[in-house]
Amino acid sequence: MAIQLAAATTSFVIAFLIVPVIIKYSLQKNLVDIPGRRKIHKKVTPSMGGIAIFIGFFSSSLIWIDIQSWSTIKFIMVALSVIFFIGVRDDLVPLRWMIKLMGQIMAASLLIFLFDLRIKSFYGVFGIYEMPDVVSYVLTYFTIIVITNSFNLIDGLDGLAGTIATLSLIAFGVWFFLIDDFIFSILSFSMVGAIFAFLIFNWEPSEVFMGDTGALVIGMMLAMLTIRFIDLNYNLPEHYPYRFNASIGTAACFIIIPLVDTLRIVLLRLLKGQSPFKPDKSHIHHAIMRLGMTHSQTTLVLGGAQILYISLALVFHNFSERYILTGVIVLSFVLSVTLDRLILGKLAPKELED
C-alpha cells in the first residue's frame, strides 16, 4: 500500500499547487460559472478545476506505475485524455450534446477494442450467464456512457462530486490492492489524491468548480473501474477471501449515489411529461437542500449514504446477486420515497400559512 499512498500524495501535491493558478487565471480571463436560475451558487466562480485533477492524476500515474505496464494501460490514459479535452472544450465553449456523446463513444471504443474492457456475461443475474458478443459490446457502451454522465449530473453542489468520487475510488482502490491488481489500485489512488486537493478549494464556500473537464474524466474513470471490478471479481476463485458473490450488486453499491440520482430524475421528468434530458432542480441534492440543509450538510448526508451502501456490500459479501440487487433497489426506493415525504411535510405547513 506504500506505493498507492505515495501516488495519492504525489497527485495531491501537484493538484494542490495547480488549483490556485487556475483560479487566478480563470478570474483574469473570465473563465467562470455565472450564477443563474438553475444554479445554486451565488457568486461568479472559476470552473476549470478539473484541469488540476487531471494533471495531478496523470503525472502521479506516470511516476508510480512501472514503465513496463504502460504498454498495457496506455489506451486507458488516451481514452481519459480524449474525455479531458472534450471537457475542456465544453467548459470554454459549450458543445452540443451530440458532439459530447460522440466524444464519449470514441473514448469508450478505445477502452473496449484496444484494452478489451467489456461486460462479458450476465454474471448470473436472473440465472443467466452467457452473453452474445453483440450484446456485450452494446451493454458495455451503455454502461460507460451512463456512469460517465450520471457522475457529471451530480456535480451541482460544493464538494459533492469530489466527496462521492473519493469514497468510490477508495473502495475500488483498496479492493484492487487486495487482489494484487496494483496498476488499477495506483490509478484509483492517484485520482483520489488529486480530487482531495481539489476539495480543499471546492468545499463550501467554493472557490472553484471542477466543470465538465473534471466531472467527465472522473465519471469515465469510475465507469472503467466498475466494469473492471465486475469482470475480475466474478472470475476470482469461489472461496477467494476478497471475492464478493454479487459482482454487479456490489459495484452498484460503490457508485450508488450517481446511479440513483440519474434514475430518479429520469423517472420524475417522465412522470411530469417532460424530456428526461431537460435540466431542472429535481436532483437528490436539490431535494435535500429543500429541507433547509446547507451545501456542506447535504454533501455529508449523501457521503454518509454512500458509505452506508459500501458498508452493506462488505457486510453481505456472501449474499448472491439476486439478494444484493433486490436489496439495493428496495433500499434506494424507500430512501427516495422517505425524502419526498419529508419535503412534502416541510412544505405543507408553509402552504397552510400562506
Side-chain angles (χ1 to χ4, degrees):
M1 184 59 79
I3 294 179
Q4 284 76 7
L5 294 177
T9 302
T10 301
S11 62
F12 173 87
V13 171
I14 293 172
F16 185 79
L17 293 174
I18 294 176
V19 171
V21 177
I22 291 175
I23 293 174
K24 183 177 180 179
Y25 182 81
S26 297
L27 290 172
Q28 290 175 346
K29 300 298 181 179
N30 200 35
L31 303 175
V32 295
D33 197 331
I34 308 296
R37 183 178 178 184
R38 291 188 300 103
K39 306 293 181 66
I40 296 178
H41 63 284
K42 304 300 182 183
K43 66 175 183 177
V44 171
T45 306
S47 58
M48 303 290 287
I51 294 176
I53 295 175
F54 182 77
I55 293 176
F57 159 76
F58 196 96
S59 302
S60 179
S61 299
L62 185 64
I63 292 169
W64 292 105
I65 293 179
D66 188 86
I67 191 67
Q68 283 80 18
S69 300
W70 273 83
S71 60
T72 304
I73 67 162
K74 61 185 178 183
F75 300 116
I76 292 174
M77 306 310 283
V78 172
L80 291 175
S81 296
V82 169
I83 288 296
F84 169 74
F85 286 112
I86 291 172
V88 171
R89 172 64 167 77
D90 191 51
D91 284 333
L92 292 173
V93 181
L95 290 168
R96 288 185 300 166
W97 70 269
M98 182 59 73
I99 301 298
K100 291 171 67 175
L101 179 60
M102 289 174 61
Q104 292 173 27
I105 291 174
M106 181 190 303
S109 297
L110 292 170
L111 295 173
I112 293 170
F113 293 105
L114 298 181
F115 185 70
D116 194 30
L117 182 80
R118 283 193 295 126
I119 296 174
K120 298 175 181 177
S121 85
F122 285 108
Y123 305 104
V125 177
F126 307 119
I128 305 173
Y129 295 88
E130 297 299 321
M131 175 183 290
D133 285 344
V134 173
V135 177
S136 171
Y137 287 118
V138 171
L139 188 57
T140 303
Y141 273 113
F142 178 78
T143 301
I144 291 174
I145 291 170
V146 167
I147 294 176
T148 299
N149 288 286
S150 68
F151 185 81
N152 192 28
L153 287 173
I154 69 165
D155 182 28
L157 200 66
D158 292 350
L160 178 58
T163 299
I164 297 302
T166 298
L167 294 172
S168 298
L169 287 164
I170 289 175
F172 281 123
V174 170
W175 184 82
F176 283 120
F177 169 76
L178 291 173
I179 68 161
D180 297 331
D181 190 341
F182 296 115
I183 292 176
F184 277 81
S185 183
I186 292 172
L187 289 174
S188 299
F189 278 97
S190 293
M191 187 70 82
V192 167
I195 295 173
F196 194 73
F198 166 78
L199 275 173
I200 294 175
F201 302 91
N202 182 240
W203 201 257
E204 184 183 17
S206 179
E207 299 178 55
V208 64
F209 299 149
M210 67 172 63
D212 276 12
T213 304
L216 289 175
V217 167
I218 297 171
M220 179 68 74
M221 179 74 170
L222 289 173
M224 176 190 69
L225 294 176
T226 298
I227 295 172
R228 176 81 171 179
F229 169 87
I230 291 172
D231 198 57
L232 278 184
N233 179 79
Y234 179 78
N235 288 295
L236 287 173
E238 186 175 348
H239 298 293
Y240 194 83
Y242 305 113
R243 184 182 189 274
F244 293 85
N245 281 346
S247 294
I248 296 175
T250 302
C253 287
F254 284 4
I255 57 169
I256 193 65
I257 299 301
L259 293 182
V260 169
D261 183 53
T262 299
L263 181 60
R264 171 189 167 86
I265 60 175
V266 168
L267 290 176
L268 287 176
R269 289 169 186 172
L270 290 176
L271 289 173
K272 294 177 183 177
Q274 301 173 344
S275 167
F277 304 105
K278 179 183 177 181
D280 59 20
K281 287 189 175 183
S282 58
H283 291 276
I284 292 178
H285 53 271
H286 291 132
I288 294 176
M289 289 190 72
R290 291 192 189 99
L291 297 176
M293 293 190 181
T294 64
H295 286 228
S296 298
Q297 291 169 337
T298 302
T299 295
L300 291 174
V301 167
L302 289 174
Q306 181 79 60
I307 292 173
L308 170 65
Y309 276 87
I310 294 173
S311 300
L312 291 174
L314 294 173
V315 171
F316 298 107
H317 67 278
N318 285 324
F319 281 59
S320 68
E321 197 76 73
R322 179 187 305 172
Y323 293 110
I324 295 297
L325 276 177
T326 301
V328 168
I329 293 170
V330 171
L331 179 59
S332 300
F333 177 78
V334 170
L335 290 178
S336 183
V337 171
T338 301
L339 176 61
D340 290 335
R341 289 188 176 278
L342 287 173
I343 294 172
L344 290 173
K346 186 176 180 62
L347 294 178
K350 292 183 179 180
E351 294 173 354
L352 290 175
E353 291 175 5
D354 294 339

